[in-house]
Amino acid sequence: MRYTSTRNRTISCTFEEAICSGYAPDGGLFVPETLPAVSVATLKEWAKLDFAQLAQTVLRLFVSESEVSAQELSQIVTYEGFAPPVIPIQRVGSLYVAELFHGPTFCFKDLGMRAVVRFLSLFATKRRQRMTLLVSTTGDTGPAAVQAVSDARNPWLTILVHYPAGQISSFQRKQLTTTDSPHVHVVAFEGGGDDMDRPIKNMLKSAPSSSHWTGVNSYNIGRPLMQMIHYIWTYLRVAGQEEWEIGQQTLDIILPTGAMGNLAGGYMAKKMGIPLGKLCSGVNVNDITHRVMQTGAFHSSPFMLKTLSEAINIQIPYNFERILFYLTEQDDQLVREWMTQVETTQKLDLSTEWLEQLQQVFDSARISDKAMCTTTRQVWKEHHYLMDPHTAVAMGAAETLGYSGKIAAVFATASPCKFEESVTMAVGKDTWDMFAQSDQFPATARAMLLRNERPPTIYRNDRSLSLYENQRKWEEQARQIIATFENDA
């Protein structure tokens, strides 16, 4: 399997080159040159596999043995720290809830991030070349990446992670600032959730020849490849519990959506022939995904609004580019025109024709903080099931879109243990305290909360400068930090 760019299909590279690059050289996103078709017979065989076996089997379709041996792949795709079956499927009313958060940092990012970091660690070691990972996080990506790098303990691998000051939960912040690893550097920047995206993209396009920098946010092809797996797993588990004949019925999925990486993984799985129906996004008031799915207007908002579901606060979800690539049947020229327009104007208006095609696959609902809290409280009262705010956004979207009383799956993307403030606002302090003292609150989470924080580096927002000028300044600060990393090596 080789990889190409969403903006130029003449580009062709190996899996190693794609995952180690982050962005494609033309600024597009890497995608497989082809998506392998999965037959019903194959799905029936996959239904017999445990999660690790399924992950290895699916990834082998995209990673040749000449690049990653069978032994190496089995070591990369392991799920230590996850209790079997890795992703439990819970019944909540008529809906199935796929709990994707039972990893080391209590969020779904662990499912993909640990394997991506291990791939990068493997390639850095083989090359004997120092690799620096650049990350910007709105809450969960950063802790998952930091934990994975810390656990790798590879002297060839370091990470520089950025988070928007005051815009992630205190638990998520502590996951970053209590990490004790020489391979990790943490920065808080005074800006909106995706204001570091441009500086990081600039850096990845212009890394010095003596260094290797890459990103592990969901623009990295490794992320959606790994995220396809939990769609396949969820379909097969629900089909089994419902006693469906595999391939005869489709399953709609409702998920909280930020940068659309998880959504892109689902669309790729659907394109391969996995029997998925509608892919439905739950979003908060930072609702560009909802607006484009309902009206075709992909317009960045001038301000990022603070919410109780901060991890999905996004103004420009970069994986929309992959969705457009597959929506247009891989029309790289059209995608290039569209994304050039987005980068120039921060706006794209889909024609009625393309909007109708988008709506054949996708749906969405916008859930306010108030509605999210109401949903959290209602589900707790009726089913004694406690959700984090992002899962509650998806559950609220399911209700808004008419899934009450119907069979569908909701992705639970994080443990409620990470969001004391919002969960308490929804269900009250007594219920939070009961949860916090119960066996459902992970013991490793309690231990983390007791560790001392290390103050992060701060990128200041100079209000006399434009956002672009501040971003240029932050980019230079990041380059200086990496230079210090590399000089200390």
Side-chain angles (χ1 to χ4, degrees):
M1 176 66 74
R2 294 185 66 83
Y3 291 79
T4 188
S5 171
T6 50
R7 303 185 190 184
N8 183 355
R9 292 181 65 193
T10 66
I11 291 173
S12 181
C13 68
T14 65
F15 172 74
E16 177 181 349
E17 290 166 337
I19 197 171
C20 290
S21 298
Y23 287 100
D26 61 350
L29 302 185
F30 279 116
V31 288
E33 286 189 343
T34 59
L35 286 177
V38 177
S39 68
V40 170
T42 296
L43 274 177
K44 289 179 178 179
E45 290 301 311
W46 286 359
K48 303 171 186 176
L49 305 178
D50 66 24
F51 192 84
Q53 292 168 334
L54 177 66
Q56 291 176 43
T57 301
V58 173
L59 283 178
R60 183 51 80 203
L61 300 176
F62 297 94
V63 184
S64 71
E65 194 160 354
S66 63
E67 289 193 80
V68 180
S69 70
Q71 182 180 1
E72 289 167 340
L73 187 61
S74 67
Q75 292 171 343
I76 285 169
V77 186
T78 60
Y79 293 92
E80 71 279 355
F82 292 78
V86 179
I87 299 177
I89 308 293
Q90 308 286 356
R91 191 69 182 263
V92 179
S94 69
L95 298 173
Y96 286 91
V97 177
E99 293 186 343
L100 311 181
F101 57 76
H102 290 283
T105 68
F106 323 109
C107 76
F108 84 102
K109 304 293 175 70
D110 289 323
L111 290 165
M113 186 65 76
R114 294 180 75 75
V116 169
V117 168
R118 285 171 179 165
F119 276 122
L120 296 173
S121 180
L122 172 69
F123 293 135
T125 301
K126 285 184 174 182
R127 295 175 176 186
R128 299 191 66 78
Q129 180 182 42
R130 191 173 186 84
M131 188 179 295
T132 298
L133 311 186
L134 301 176
V135 178
S136 181
T137 184
T138 52
D140 285 331
T141 294
V146 162
Q147 186 68 51
V149 170
S150 181
D151 289 346
R153 295 182 176 86
N154 185 343
W156 298 102
L157 199 66
T158 55
I159 185 170
L160 175 59
V161 59
H162 305 81
Y163 70 90
Q167 296 185 44
I168 63 176
S169 75
S170 61
F171 187 102
Q172 292 167 318
R173 185 194 71 243
K174 289 177 181 177
Q175 286 184 297
L176 296 171
T177 58
T178 61
T179 300
D180 184 12
S181 171
H183 308 299
V184 174
H185 193 101
V186 178
V187 173
F189 62 95
E190 297 178 340
D194 49 8
D195 284 350
M196 272 304 298
D197 289 352
R198 182 192 295 271
I200 287 176
K201 188 169 187 178
N202 289 343
M203 293 172 68
L204 295 177
K205 290 167 63 177
S206 59
S209 58
S210 59
S211 304
H212 190 93
W213 304 345
T214 191
V216 291
N217 284 85
S218 60
Y219 51 77
N220 187 304
I221 184 58
R223 293 283 301 282
L225 288 182
M226 291 301 302
Q227 289 163 339
M228 287 192 302
I229 297 161
H230 53 249
Y231 282 88
I232 300 169
W233 173 265
T234 299
Y235 171 78
L236 293 173
R237 298 286 79 72
V238 172
Q241 292 190 42
E242 287 293 314
E243 299 183 346
W244 292 346
E245 179 70 21
I246 287 177
Q248 297 303 304
Q249 291 174 267
T250 61
L251 178 68
D252 290 3
I253 307 282
I254 307 99
L255 65 153
T257 301
M260 292 195 190
N262 205 356
L263 196 68
Y267 193 27
M268 291 166 70
K270 182 179 173 71
K271 284 285 191 178
M272 290 168 59
I274 308 305
L276 301 174
K278 280 288 185 77
L279 303 177
C280 304
S281 292
V283 303
N284 60 28
V285 294
N286 298 299
D287 61 352
I288 184 171
T289 295
H290 177 60
R291 285 182 278 120
V292 72
M293 289 182 180
Q294 300 304 316
T295 70
F298 189 69
H299 294 189
S300 175
S301 298
F303 303 104
M304 183 81 76
L305 300 174
K306 187 171 176 59
T307 70
L308 295 174
S309 50
E310 301 281 11
I312 54 174
N313 283 355
I314 297 292
Q315 287 177 295
I316 294 288
Y318 30 66
N319 274 282
F320 190 52
E321 182 166 344
R322 282 193 178 105
I323 288 172
L324 291 175
F325 181 75
Y326 289 113
L327 187 75
T328 61
E329 300 299 333
Q330 306 185 25
D331 188 337
D332 55 336
Q333 180 177 346
L334 181 56
V335 172
R336 182 169 63 251
E337 292 173 2
W338 280 344
M339 299 317 298
T340 299
Q341 181 179 337
V342 170
E343 290 175 350
T344 304
T345 68
Q346 303 292 291
K347 293 181 179 180
L348 172 67
D349 290 289
L350 296 180
S351 67
T352 301
E353 175 191 357
W354 287 117
L355 176 59
E356 288 175 351
Q357 291 195 41
L358 187 72
Q359 290 175 340
Q360 288 177 15
V361 180
F362 300 97
D363 207 344
S364 64
R366 178 182 185 271
I367 306 300
S368 67
D369 279 353
K370 182 179 179 181
M372 181 276 293
C373 287
T374 298
T375 298
T376 306
R377 190 162 50 248
Q378 179 179 343
V379 171
W380 171 254
K381 180 179 178 181
E382 294 180 2
H383 303 286
H384 212 65
Y385 187 82
L386 193 61
M387 301 178 293
D388 84 287
H390 310 89
T391 303
V393 165
M395 191 67 80
E399 182 177 357
T400 299
L401 295 172
Y403 284 100
S404 297
K406 298 179 181 179
I407 301 299
V410 171
F411 281 171
T413 52
S415 167
C417 77
K418 304 182 76 166
F419 302 98
E420 178 178 359
E421 177 187 359
S422 59
V423 174
T424 299
M425 288 182 66
V427 297
K429 188 175 185 306
D430 288 346
T431 299
W432 169 264
D433 288 344
M434 181 179 67
F435 165 70
Q437 295 164 19
S438 73
D439 292 340
Q440 291 182 301
F441 198 101
T444 50
R446 287 198 187 91
M448 185 279 297
L449 290 170
L450 297 176
R451 295 202 298 259
N452 292 326
E453 293 189 74
R454 298 165 179 256
T457 299
I458 305 294
Y459 294 173
R460 299 293 181 187
N461 183 1
D462 186 339
R463 297 187 181 280
S464 68
L465 302 178
S466 67
L467 173 60
Y468 177 76
E469 290 169 325
N470 274 299
Q471 288 173 320
R472 291 293 299 272
K473 183 177 66 172
W474 297 344
E475 180 183 333
E476 182 55 35
Q477 288 177 271
R479 291 178 183 273
Q480 291 172 3
I481 291 170
I482 295 174
T484 302
F485 261 157
E486 295 176 341
N487 289 337
D488 289 344

